[in-house]
Structures are given as C-alpha cells and as structure tokens.
Amino acid sequence: MPADTDHDWEILANQDPYWAVLTQDRFRTKAMDDTARRDFFLSGEKYVDWVFTMIRDHIDSQFNPATGLDFGCGVGRLILPMSRRCRTAVGIDVSDAMLQEAQRNCRAEKVENVSLVKGDDKCAGLEHGFDFINSFIVFQHIPCDRGIGLFRRLVELLNDSGVAAIHITYSRSQSPVMADAASYDPQKKESPRGARSHLAALGRAVRNRLARMFQGRTVASDSHPETANASTPVMQMNSYSLNPLFQILQHAGVREIHAALSDHDGSFGTVLFFKKGPGLYAFPALKT
C-alpha cells in the first residue's frame, strides 16, 4: 500500500516543523534557540535573493512580480522574503500544522500581504494566476506520478509572461542513470522514475513498523539516520524524469529554460527557471 505522504508530512509538522524543512539537528523543536531561528529564516532570505538575481540575470532583467506563490511553503521560510518582493504572496501547503506555524511567523513579522492556503492535488484553493511561482525542496518528497500532475497545475497557474523557479530532484548521486530510465509513459500506473525510491521507502516503512513494535530506533531520511526515532515517518526522496516536465513546459509556450544544478544530501537536482509564453513553442531554426 502506498505511503500517505500528506499524513506523514502532518506528523512531521507536529513533531518538528522547522527540522522537517531543513533537516539539521539545531532546527529540532527541543534544540531551537534564537540563533538557530534567525539562521533558519536568514537562509530563506538568501535563497529568495539568489532566485531573483538568477531570474534577472538569465530570464527577465525587468522582473518585478506583483503576485507570488510559494508551493510547499512550510513554516514560511520563503514566503516571508517573497512578501517583501511581491505586492501579494500566497503560500500553499498540505499540512495544517505547517500553515498554522507559517501564520504565527507572519504575525510575528507583521506581514499583512500573505495568504495561506490548504493544498490538494488540484491546488483548488487558488483562485487566480501568478506572476511568480516558487517551489524549493518540495517535489522531492512527493511521489513522481502525483508530482508531475502538480507541476502541470503550477504551470497552468503561471500568468503569461510569468516566471517560475521550481526545484526538482532527478537522481541519487551514487546511482548512475540507466539509458532506459529516460522514457516516461504517463499511462502506466507504476513509473520507473520513482520505483527505486518507492521500494526503498517501503523497506524503511517496514523497518519503522518493526521498530515501533520492539521499541527500537529507525531513520527518517537517508541523510540523517542518527536524528530520528521510531515514531518519525519516512521522508521520501523521489527522483523525477525531466522529460515529461520539459514537454509540459514546451506545450505551455516556454521558450528557454535556465537550470541551476543542486546536490541535496546526495540527491542530485535542478532549479528550473522559466518564463511562460502565449502558446505552444516551435523552435524557429527548424522552420522552412
């Protein structure tokens, strides 16, 4: 039976919301002090500043969005700096506990131009398009088939001439990508893209259940085995094929993509920067 990642994320949000976003022990609820809290939010400010610099350097030199969306906003690490760069900003997350903590953080910073929305697979709570859509270290925790549908929905929500910066993981650094892993069939119930990750997650889930039965210890993620306990859910790390994502972007009229590569605790990924066009894009050099 597939893992209920939304339910798992709610458990993590109630246990350790800041650690669930950045898995460093100093962001654990019991360890969090003023210095750790300041560093946590400063990391978000630095990331958003980098994103805007990349967009202005590579995508749109005049980028100045009125409306922004942070997909998977968590406790508000990125939505707070986005609120200072957009007239209005929306954070969406599947976890009620995360949204409640994000609301507390917005109040503490006296931020009044942020709306927080409960997420689902259709992003049904979002009523309009956005000039800027951001998502960072979020899709990696979403099963691939579901994540591709959400990626498509975000592209739909991007206004014409809007810009997005979306982070996607595509492989584990120690696992070479095989030639036959490049294909993607959306009709298949099980896609080879995430099969290895899902099997690994299933194995960890079984170990978690056994550990709970025998009051032992287990791991919450591949990269931080020493920090979890038997009640902590497995944090999935899924690898996506980029092929279907590029197809979605080209159908949406995206002309160019700027990719910045990432290494997140051994998971290779990329932040895709792109600007949405008015319709299907055909490469002009191939026209006769």
Side-chain angles (χ1 to χ4, degrees):
M1 183 176 180
D4 184 346
T5 53
D6 289 0
H7 176 68
D8 288 348
W9 197 244
E10 187 69 27
I11 293 173
L12 288 166
N14 277 286
Q15 288 182 353
D16 269 311
Y18 294 84
W19 176 85
V21 175
L22 293 179
T23 50
Q24 299 177 28
D25 282 347
R26 64 195 181 118
F27 299 135
R28 287 278 189 183
T29 298
K30 293 181 179 179
M32 196 85 160
D33 56 18
D34 289 343
T35 299
R37 182 180 179 83
R38 184 183 64 250
D39 290 348
F40 180 90
F41 284 103
L42 180 60
S43 73
E45 180 69 37
K46 289 180 177 178
Y47 180 77
V48 172
D49 184 64
W50 174 77
V51 165
F52 271 61
T53 298
M54 293 291 282
I55 290 171
R56 288 170 179 157
D57 285 349
H58 300 283
I59 303 294
D60 182 353
S61 62
Q62 304 301 313
F63 183 61
N64 187 28
T67 55
L69 171 68
D70 187 30
F71 175 78
C73 67
V75 299
R77 185 175 74 105
L78 304 182
I79 200 67
L80 289 173
M82 283 175 60
S83 73
R84 295 187 279 274
R85 294 164 173 82
C86 302
R87 186 167 64 242
T88 60
V90 177
I92 186 169
D93 203 281
V94 297
S95 166
D96 290 316
M98 286 289 190
L99 292 171
Q100 290 164 11
E101 188 66 17
Q103 187 64 65
R104 284 190 284 269
N105 288 325
C106 286
R107 289 198 196 101
E109 295 295 320
K110 297 181 172 56
V111 170
E112 298 180 350
N113 64 335
V114 166
S115 300
L116 299 170
V117 175
K118 178 68 180 288
D120 58 27
D121 284 1
K122 301 295 183 182
C123 298
L126 303 176
E127 299 177 351
H128 57 78
F130 297 88
D131 299 327
F132 172 51
I133 294 179
N134 176 77
S135 183
F136 182 56
I137 55 174
V138 174
F139 276 90
Q140 62 195 28
H141 302 314
I142 303 173
C144 297
D145 288 326
R146 182 184 184 193
I148 286 173
L150 284 162
F151 183 90
R152 179 181 289 106
R153 180 61 180 143
L154 292 184
V155 174
E156 291 172 352
L157 286 165
L158 192 62
N159 291 334
D160 284 348
S161 298
V163 177
I166 299 180
H167 175 250
I168 298 290
T169 43
Y170 64 85
S171 78
R172 297 291 289 173
S173 60
Q174 72 273 26
S175 302
V177 177
M178 307 305 293
D180 61 359
S183 61
Y184 169 72
D185 181 357
Q187 303 303 317
K188 289 183 179 180
K189 292 183 178 179
E190 295 295 333
S191 171
R193 297 183 317 287
R196 195 171 286 129
S197 295
H198 293 326
L199 287 172
L202 180 60
R204 289 193 296 271
V206 171
R207 291 196 297 274
N208 280 3
R209 179 61 61 87
L210 291 172
R212 283 193 289 269
M213 291 173 59
F214 294 101
Q215 296 182 341
R217 292 182 62 81
T218 186
V219 300
S221 66
D222 290 335
S223 54
H224 295 274
E226 73 284 354
T227 59
N229 57 55
S231 64
T232 304
V234 171
M235 190 181 291
Q236 287 192 16
M237 291 295 291
N238 295 301
S239 298
Y240 285 70
S241 167
L242 298 178
N243 292 4
L245 307 183
F246 286 170
Q247 186 181 55
I248 290 167
L249 294 178
Q250 188 154 1
H251 276 289
V254 172
R255 269 68 170 160
E256 297 178 357
I257 298 170
H258 181 80
L261 301 181
S262 66
D263 181 353
H264 187 65
D265 289 328
S267 288
F268 280 175
T270 178
V271 180
L272 298 176
F273 297 90
F274 55 87
K275 184 174 184 177
K276 188 175 179 180
L280 178 64
Y281 178 61
F283 188 47
L286 299 181
K287 291 183 178 180
T288 57

